């Protein structure tokens, strides 16, 4: 057992941290976020150039063979931005499905385009009434013309607006909540019958509600096994939880730092408010929650990296902690900043909003507490 | 002790119901039911309708145009008004400066300002907070210097809610910097149309533009707009922080919101084949809020009853502020929880009548998260909840 | 709607409060508690003399016709002792069953003896595996010799050691958790086949584990309807929850008072510890929890007094609040007292222990939260 | 980063298991498994067995007789020791005064005292708290006046755990009242057999007699028993409050307790036809504690790892104290919850071997509530959790 990063991991970390420190000052991010696209193509090209987009793919597929630990390093730094380029959607979610289950031919077509920054992708897996149940899929893929016709409604598809390619979960057999019978498809986002309704998210990303109205794909569009999409989806969502949890840890760090800084300079009743014992104890608690979250992040990440059998359970534990600590730290940061914290101008609101949304992604704290409690 | 309504109270309840069903603008109720944004003009119409019935000021003494209701009647009125879905009354005139004027103002001021407040002809806003003075109000620095029959006011107020519609602002200003911090402060009323006033919106984290910076550049204010004595403004203002005010806890609204949540939960899938209204985790959360609220409702009634039997409305009312806002915030969290994945969507204009923003997900979810963000303010404004705890510790516990 | 007590109620309150103030100083209570019997026969005789033991019975049965509000007044004062005379067991629990369901003949025999202080009683309703489910009854009453034979095991029967008469719930038909088929019996505690194992409780009361080994009773021992005991039991337990909640409010008041007093006199770092803002805010929260509990106590009591349809649900709300606030106030009181609070010598421990046990009686906070959530 | 054990670590784990299965007093494990009270004599036997294997001091440097283990090995050892069900080591000698002596003591003191601690021939107790000085240790008033080669010690220590068995006590005493409070304090070691010492048990709220008042009436203590310099005792003592100490968080014990709870829950009816291990509410509570503990386990490992890479054991270790004790307390609450109605029974002597108290309810439940009461102490002693938060605020956050 050891807690040290490798030299390569440290190099990546230093790089990403510098990028965030230097490129992600508030004004620049605001401008990017307000733009039509919602992220910076320049940054994206730079991600490609620096090899970050290939970090998570195996060397055989042209990547750098990174794993859970590399993702953690990357996303913890992203969380400090918070970075709004759609790395999660393209590389972790859609890319994760490809990495796990795509055929050699599919990989050859799609992975290099991701790595080179030429393709934006999205994973369309949630549905209006499915809430956090990954097996709850009513979108149907029925045989048609040597391929399949997809019909249904996918909800809050992250990076939907920019995606040129979608990975879609659809039911090929079984009842609505049956884990068995879900198949993953590669779908060109420009296909006939796709209707995207685009909107911004609360934390500055972009997403789409996507209607599939008899969208035709050929047999080669299937990723992995027919009916066998659920475990691939599950593993990929676990990766996404790890990544967003690392991001959350980065965001918590920034919130604690900003709050601490604020209380050292903001004076009330003649003294810096950091001198008030009540705020001191509350910030001590914020610090503890951050450290505890970081510990679980390490634990879950190392468990995944080592392929431990109960890694999924540890990931649920992490998601619970991220949800609860994120809520506490976020709310306290705003409260301690007072009126200032409520203004869009102060930057703390962005971390608070991102933390809030991370809780609601991929199953909130309640959902994962139940998953944790009922698995062993 | 009796929890049941007397025959008279039942009759009154009926009267209130009939009023909201017949004599109140139905289009406003309709808008509110559909979660549409209520405009400033709607607000004024709503208040004028209440005034026409004589019900605009349940917390004012009858002699100044208040209702003179018993606690039970005030409770019934609040409950029925929330049930009917009428928007709440803008508090700055009726709940805040009005009581200050009838308590500390002179006869001329009462005559001049109270009718405009009761009739909702004047829209008021509050000028207390300053960029450099948050909870530590006493360190404010907006100056009012005497120049003949006028004060010349310069400085900046911030966090001023709905200043964009305001005709008048009541301000704490520094009329002297000689004495101890609190003692140089005066309470004055300023016409928002005075030259030298500019209002700049502050965008809040939910994207809203409810609050503003209000800048004063050598604004001339007649001396007759001073409330009470010069230098005693702090004492008047403190009344606002500790004085019991109807509805500060927002109990009736919160009850209505919980009913809405229950109705929504019974139509919202939990993803695993049950409705959210059958989901253990959600029910547990919801129930804890409901229990707090059931308790607070009686804490408020107990406070009102004590006031009626002659006990002064005490610092105990800080409980109403703290628990009331905590409950309001918890309710917004329940909505976020219910919204699930749709909590992510940011659709700021969705509920503005005539907007052409398409919704995603269930209709009620479009502002779930924005409201959660927005409501973080409730534990900060009106004397932050930390200040309220200080008040309890000092004034109630004697620490 | 009004919140005023009647003159009679105020008189009772003043009387009981004076009794507790004057008779219940710590040393006296300690002595009583350490005695064989665990309560004071003198006090009991006085309760009878002052009419308190008859307070809850209808005037027709020789009582004073008090209801939920009178019980609240009495028990709030008891909570300030905390009084350890077995009023709850004898008058509220066993007495409550008699008041609700006993025949005229049964009342004539048993009620005067309670009112005159001549009889101690106990309600044997919980069982080893039933936890907080009142309908979970495995003790069997089977027809035998023109009467019934009772067999089974009753758990933690409050006031079991002193009781001369037991009210026992036993199954006369149905499955183990069937609410229908439970019958209440009056049983002489000295009957053949009754085996009591006596023990003290954590909060200074006395209780028994009672084995019924073929205990024979005649047909006249049935209280109320055959098979119809459950609703009577339910209503009586609701009364007991009201009473112990009032007691809890009294105990919370005392804990808050003692803690406040302590922080005003105890000095650390050169100042009274009550000057530390952290403790001030925590005590403000303790005060708020107390006030909120008191509000729900009033609400539930008034709802019962008015016979409101949803009174049971309000009682569950109250029990949740009593459990949670009692835990918070109790733990904080001990913590703020520091080492001193941990000593038996300081009196605060007694209130803390009573509050803890009140939570575990008649269904803890979790149990009642569920009952609250699932009824409307 | 690697969560898996190396081959060497796996082998070590095996060694530890074999040791507890074969070379450790099996009757003590048996007693502990049956929840029987472990006597002072058992404790000494247990520690001597650990010492015989060279494993009594995992937190001491090898040069003084410690194990020199890596954090992973210490983690493995703690885990296995808890799993085996061995009682914990009495901390006063091995975790507290030992490190003080080898860090600040002179050679003679090391020679004289360390072997007795390692061999468990000397039972130590701690004399810090005083009736008038709780968390504010620096205001202590027990006096040590110089009289030739001796100090004459008079005063009262309180809250002294297991003093009834102690051979020695380490004390903070005031050797001067001239300077600032902290500066007149010295750290001395006192033979408990010295004339003038009396020990009086304090009954705690759970009915236990673990802690004591220790009175000193003109007790003569040789000057050579002074640790380090006169007047610097405060500095030495502070090390105990902030220094990382193996097992301060009690993680391994808490894990073992949670396993026990799970086993019990799977055999305990919830009254409604399920086992408590299937009861949603109970599972939720249990899971929240387990998650906190999983996090704390890694917080401890991260701290140990940082220490090994040369970083000083910092005030961050206050987290271990706060979270560790909160978890221990939560665990006692889970037991109370599981016990249901039987939580009410008070059976203080039940687990004392040879006692003839009859149990009621399940065997494990007899001390559920007493333990809950007793464990309230954990957030008070060893530097109260409030003091620990002060330390984090000042030393970590720089406030």
């Amino acid at each position: 057992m050891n807690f040290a990063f490798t030299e390569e991991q440290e190099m990546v970390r230093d790089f990403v941290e510098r990028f965030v420190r230097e490129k992600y000052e508030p004004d620049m991010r605001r401008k990017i976020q307000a733009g039509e696209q919602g992220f910076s193509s320049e940054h994206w090209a730079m991600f490609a150039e620096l090899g970050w987009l290939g970090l998570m793919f195996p060397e055989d597929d042209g990547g750098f063979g990174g794993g859970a630990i590399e993702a953690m390093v990357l996303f913890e730094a992203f969380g400090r931005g918070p970075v709004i380029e759609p790395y999660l959607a393209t590389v972790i979610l859609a890319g994760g499905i490809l990495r796990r289950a795509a055929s050699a031919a599919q990989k050859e077509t799609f992975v290099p385009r991701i790595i080179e920054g030429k393709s934006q992708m999205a994973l369309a897996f949630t549905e209006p009434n499915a809430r956090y149940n990954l097996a709850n899929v009513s979108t149907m893929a029925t045989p048609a013309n040597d391929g399949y016709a997809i019909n249904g409604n996918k909800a809050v598809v992250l990076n939907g607006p920019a995606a040129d390619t979608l990975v879609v979960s659809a039911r090929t057999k079984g009842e609505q909540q049956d884990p068995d019978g879900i198949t993953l498809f590669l779908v060109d986002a420009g296909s006939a019958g796709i209707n995207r309704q685009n909107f911004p998210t609360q934390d500055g990303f972009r997403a789409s509600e996507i209607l599939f109205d008899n969208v035709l794909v050929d047999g080669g569009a299937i990723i992995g096994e027919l009916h066998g999409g659920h475990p691939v989806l599950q593993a990929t969502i676990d990766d996404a939880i790890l990544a967003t949890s690392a991001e959350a840890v980065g965001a918590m760090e920034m919130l604690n730092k900003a709050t601490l800084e604020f209380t050292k300079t903001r004076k009330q009743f003649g003294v810096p408010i950091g001198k008030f014992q009540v705020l001191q104890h509350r910030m001590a608690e914020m610090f503890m929650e951050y450290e505890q979250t970081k510990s679980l992040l390490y634990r879950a990440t190392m468990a995944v990296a080592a392929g431990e059998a109960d890694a999924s359970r540890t990931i649920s534990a992490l998601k619970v902690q991220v949800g609860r600590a994120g809520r506490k730290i976020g709310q306290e940061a705003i409260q301690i900043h007072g009126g200032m914290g409520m203004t869009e101008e102060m930057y703390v609101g962005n971390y608070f909003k991102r933390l809030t949304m991370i809780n609601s992604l991929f199953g909130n704290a309640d959902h994962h507490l139940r998953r944790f409690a009922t698995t062993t | 002790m009796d929890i049941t309504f007397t025959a008279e109270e039942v009759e009154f309840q009926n009267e209130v119901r009939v009023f909201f069903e017949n004599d109140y603008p139905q289009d406003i109720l309709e808008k509110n039911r559909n979660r549409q944004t209520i405009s400033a003009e709607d607000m004024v119409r709503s208040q004028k309708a209440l005034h026409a019935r004589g019900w605009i000021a349940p917390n004012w003494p009858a002699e100044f145009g208040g209702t003179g209701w018993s606690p039970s009647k005030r409770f019934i009125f609040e409950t029925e008004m929330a049930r009917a879905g009428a928007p709440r009354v803008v508090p700055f005139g009726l709940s805040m400066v009005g009581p200050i004027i009838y308590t500390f103002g002179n006869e001329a001021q009462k005559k001049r300002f109270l009718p405009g407040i009761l009739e909702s002809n004047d829209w008021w806003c509050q000028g207390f907070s300053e960029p450099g003075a948050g909870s530590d109000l006493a360190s404010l620095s907006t100056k009012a210097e005497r120049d003949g029959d006028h004060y010349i006011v310069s400085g900046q107020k911030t966090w001023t809610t709905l200043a964009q519609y305001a005709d008048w602002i009541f301000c704490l200003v520094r009329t002297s910097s000689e004495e101890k911090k609190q003692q140089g402060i005066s309470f004055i009323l300023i016409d928002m149309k005075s030259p030298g006033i500019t209002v700049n919106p502050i965008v809040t984290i939910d994207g809203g533009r409810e609050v503003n910076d209000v800048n004063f550049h050598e604004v001339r204010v007649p001396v007759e707009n001073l409330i009470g004595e010069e230098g005693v403004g702090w004492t008047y203002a403190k009344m606002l922080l500790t004085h019991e005010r109807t509805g500060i806890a927002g109990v009736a609204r919160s009850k209505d919101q919980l009913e809405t949540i229950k109705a929504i939960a019974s139509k919202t899938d939990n993803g695993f084949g049950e409705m959210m209204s059958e989901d253990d985790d959600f029910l547990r959360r919801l129930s804890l809020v409901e229990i707090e609220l059931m308790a607070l409702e009686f804490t408020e009634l107990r406070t009102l009853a004590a006031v009626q039997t002659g006990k002064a409305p005490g610092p105990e009312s800080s409980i109403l502020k703290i628990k009331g806002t905590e409950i309001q915030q918890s309710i917004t969290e329940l909505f976020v929880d219910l919204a699930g994945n749709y909590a992510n969507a940011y659709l700021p204009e969705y509920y503005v009548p005539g907007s052409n923003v398409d919704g995603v997900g269930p209709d009620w979810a479009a502002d779930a998260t924005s409201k959660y963000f927005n409501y973080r303010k409730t534990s900060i404004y009106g004397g932050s909840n930390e200040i309220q705890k200080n008040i309890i510790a000092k004034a109630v516990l004697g620490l």
Side-chain angles (χ1 to χ4, degrees), chain A, chain B:
Chain A
M1 194 155 50
N2 82 76
F3 286 83
F5 290 110
T6 63
E7 254 179 66
E8 289 79 11
Q9 288 162 350
E10 288 201 345
M11 221 172 64
V12 171
R13 191 187 57 188
D14 294 347
F15 244 119
V16 191
E17 283 182 359
R18 210 175 67 200
F19 162 73
V20 170
R21 218 165 35 237
E22 291 173 4
K23 292 284 178 191
Y24 256 78
E25 23 71 288
D27 280 344
M28 139 85 84
R29 185 183 184 277
R30 259 186 217 112
K31 242 176 72 185
I32 298 172
Q33 190 181 324
E36 174 62 24
Q37 186 178 248
F39 66 89
S40 154
S41 298
E42 258 173 72
H43 287 165
W44 198 254
M46 199 199 76
F47 287 11
E49 212 172 297
L50 293 171
W52 297 353
L53 298 179
L55 194 61
M56 307 311 301
F57 292 99
E59 293 181 24
D60 286 352
D61 299 334
F64 293 90
I69 295 167
E70 283 74 14
M72 178 178 84
V73 163
L74 203 66
F75 273 87
E76 197 180 333
F78 281 178
R80 295 198 193 105
V83 167
I84 46 172
E85 276 65 36
Y87 193 102
L88 180 76
T90 299
V91 181
I92 303 291
L93 288 170
I97 300 279
L98 294 177
R99 180 165 59 81
R100 281 198 166 76
S103 66
Q106 287 169 332
K107 283 185 185 169
E108 223 168 289
T109 312
F110 291 97
V111 172
R113 291 178 51 206
I114 293 178
I115 294 179
E116 291 160 23
K118 290 178 184 155
S119 176
Q120 287 287 341
M121 296 185 70
L123 175 61
F125 71 103
T126 50
E127 300 194 357
N129 296 315
R131 212 170 145 86
Y132 302 130
N133 183 358
L134 296 179
N136 190 332
V137 175
S138 352
T139 297
M140 302 299 294
T142 43
N145 307 353
D146 295 341
Y148 290 84
I150 302 175
N151 283 284
N153 187 355
K154 290 293 176 180
V156 195
V157 179
L158 295 175
N159 203 33
D164 49 58
T165 309
L166 305 171
V167 174
V168 183
S169 64
R171 183 157 298 287
T172 42
K173 74 164 191 191
E175 296 297 311
Q176 189 183 332
Q177 291 183 44
D178 197 343
D180 192 18
I182 296 165
T183 304
L184 298 164
F185 293 91
L186 263 165
V187 182
D188 189 311
S191 307
I194 287 186
N195 188 338
R196 282 185 274 197
Q197 183 193 339
N198 301 333
F199 54 90
T201 64
Q202 291 281 351
D203 46 359
F205 288 83
R206 296 292 191 272
S208 309
E209 206 69 0
I210 307 187
L211 274 170
F212 294 82
D213 181 12
N214 223 35
V215 177
L216 299 173
V217 294
D218 64 30
I222 292 180
I223 311 175
E225 304 285 318
L226 180 70
H227 311 318
H230 185 260
V232 180
L233 202 55
Q234 179 77 64
T236 303
I237 296 302
D238 275 356
D239 277 356
I241 292 174
L242 277 185
T244 47
S245 295
E247 214 188 319
V249 166
M252 288 177 195
E253 187 194 336
M254 295 301 281
L255 276 177
N256 281 354
K257 221 163 140 178
T259 306
L260 191 56
E261 202 46 53
F262 182 80
T263 61
K264 283 179 182 171
T265 51
R266 172 78 167 180
K267 283 190 180 181
Q268 285 199 347
F269 306 102
V271 292
I273 61 175
K275 289 287 168 207
F276 292 111
Q277 196 193 22
V278 158
L279 299 190
Q280 290 186 350
H281 278 212
R282 281 159 62 175
M283 285 189 282
E285 282 159 19
M286 291 162 77
F287 168 75
M288 290 196 288
E289 288 311 314
Y290 160 74
E291 288 289 337
Q292 286 283 82
T293 312
K294 190 164 184 165
S295 291
L296 268 182
L297 174 66
Y298 277 25
R299 182 172 195 146
T301 302
M302 289 162 80
V304 168
E308 301 229 323
D310 62 353
S312 261
R313 188 167 187 260
T314 308
I315 286 173
S316 279
L318 170 62
K319 193 67 165 67
V320 172
Q321 173 70 18
V322 162
R324 294 167 66 93
R327 173 175 176 271
K328 184 184 169 86
I329 290 173
Q331 292 183 353
E332 285 285 48
I334 299 292
Q335 181 73 22
I336 294 174
H337 274 84
M340 305 283 289
M342 283 298 296
T343 63
E344 188 59 35
E345 196 194 333
M346 282 294 278
Y347 206 56
V348 288
N350 287 305
Y351 299 110
F352 171 53
K353 289 193 271 189
R354 182 65 183 145
L355 283 176
T356 305
M357 291 302 100
I358 283 175
N359 179 44
S360 84
L361 288 175
F362 316 126
N364 63 11
D366 270 356
H367 173 84
H368 281 280
L369 186 57
R370 197 178 291 193
R371 186 169 90 144
F372 178 86
T374 51
T375 53
T376 43
Chain B
M1 282 189 149
D2 191 357
I3 201 172
T4 54
F5 290 143
T6 61
E8 192 205 335
E9 286 161 356
V10 170
E11 197 192 317
F12 175 70
Q13 184 181 42
N14 203 40
E15 261 180 64
V16 179
R17 283 188 189 171
V18 168
F19 166 76
F20 280 110
E21 276 162 29
N22 298 321
D23 305 328
Y24 180 91
Q26 297 299 302
D27 63 312
I28 296 179
L29 299 183
E30 176 76 12
K31 262 191 179 174
N32 223 13
R33 257 197 295 280
N34 297 330
R35 310 181 74 86
Q36 288 195 291
T37 310
I38 302 295
S39 67
E41 184 264 333
D42 292 335
M43 288 302 316
V44 172
R45 266 199 306 138
S46 166
Q47 296 183 191
K48 280 182 179 287
L50 291 170
H51 179 56
R53 189 67 171 81
W55 291 349
I56 191 63
N59 57 326
W60 290 26
E63 56 173 312
F64 299 118
T67 58
W69 284 334
S70 69
S72 300
K73 281 192 171 175
R74 285 170 64 176
F75 167 75
I76 289 167
F77 181 74
E78 294 285 344
T79 306
E80 292 303 325
M81 183 168 166
R83 255 202 49 193
R88 73 190 84 185
V89 167
V90 181
F92 307 105
L94 283 151
S95 298
M96 301 177 83
V97 77
I100 293 285
I101 291 172
Y102 67 64
T103 310
F104 303 110
N106 56 36
E107 285 311 311
Q109 289 167 336
K110 288 182 207 170
K111 252 186 214 147
R112 174 158 179 209
F113 292 111
L114 296 185
I117 294 172
L118 287 166
E119 292 161 17
S120 299
N121 289 332
D122 296 334
W123 189 297
W124 284 84
C125 66
Q126 180 191 40
F128 279 12
S129 293
E130 296 189 3
S135 290
D136 179 17
L137 265 187
S139 70
L140 60 87
S141 66
T142 294
K143 257 186 236 166
E145 285 176 347
R146 187 70 178 263
D147 178 29
D149 287 348
H150 285 78
Y151 289 106
I152 312 295
V153 177
S154 288
Q156 187 183 341
K157 293 293 177 180
T158 190
W159 200 244
T160 306
T161 305
L162 300 180
Q164 61 266 52
Y165 307 125
D167 302 299
W168 285 85
I169 184 168
F170 56 96
C171 281
L172 288 180
V173 294
R174 188 163 297 289
T175 39
S176 158
S177 48
E178 304 285 293
E179 304 97 338
K180 253 185 66 190
K181 288 201 306 183
Q182 282 93 334
Q183 286 163 8
I185 293 174
S186 299
F187 195 111
I188 62 172
L189 315 177
I190 305 179
D191 188 332
M192 285 291 281
K193 288 178 292 291
S194 312
I197 296 184
T198 48
V199 175
N200 297 309
I202 298 170
V203 183
T204 45
I205 53 173
D206 56 310
R209 284 154 188 270
E210 239 174 29
V211 295
N212 302 273
D213 281 329
V214 181
N215 282 287
F216 298 86
H217 179 68
E218 297 178 4
V219 176
R220 295 184 69 82
V221 181
V223 168
E224 69 237 37
N225 289 7
L226 173 77
I227 293 287
E229 287 175 57
E230 205 177 80
V232 191
W234 180 251
T235 307
Y236 311 147
K238 250 176 59 180
M239 187 182 113
L240 286 183
L241 288 177
T242 59
H243 195 277
E244 171 269 328
R245 299 194 297 277
T246 304
I248 190 178
V251 167
R253 302 279 148 185
S254 291
K255 272 169 69 180
D256 189 58
Q257 291 285 294
L258 278 187
E259 288 311 310
T260 305
I261 286 175
K262 287 182 185 179
I264 291 171
S266 71
K267 286 181 253 160
T268 302
D269 278 302
N270 78 346
F272 292 92
E274 284 179 331
M275 290 295 136
M276 290 298 281
S277 55
E278 303 160 306
D279 183 276
D280 275 349
D281 294 324
F282 185 75
L283 273 180
R284 194 180 47 78
R285 252 178 229 295
L286 174 67
S287 298
L288 286 174
V289 178
E290 189 178 348
I291 290 169
E292 277 279 11
L293 185 58
M294 286 170 73
L296 191 66
E297 189 169 23
F298 264 58
T299 300
E300 187 172 52
L301 284 168
R302 285 171 56 214
T303 309
L304 291 175
V307 171
Q308 210 189 24
T309 60
K311 276 175 95 179
E316 292 84 358
S317 67
S318 290
I319 301 179
L320 301 178
K321 164 64 166 63
I322 295 171
K323 288 282 180 187
T325 55
E326 284 176 359
I327 289 167
Q328 289 164 33
Q329 292 177 333
S330 297
I331 285 173
T332 65
E333 292 187 59
L334 290 172
F335 273 110
V336 172
D337 192 358
L338 271 182
N341 294 301
Y342 287 111
N344 286 273
Y346 177 59
L347 305 161
E349 302 288 303
Y350 180 67
Y351 293 121
V352 176
S355 96
N356 51 8
V357 173
D358 288 327
V360 292
D363 182 64
W364 54 264
D367 68 351
T369 303
S370 298
K371 244 193 175 143
Y372 165 57
F373 292 152
N374 181 267
Y375 268 57
R376 300 315 306 165
K377 75 186 175 191
T378 61
S379 48
I380 296 169
Y381 69 21
S384 73
N385 288 11
E386 286 80 9
I387 292 286
Q388 302 295 338
K389 284 184 192 169
N390 288 345
I391 290 173
I392 292 175
K394 292 202 170 47
V396 184
L397 306 181
L399 287 168

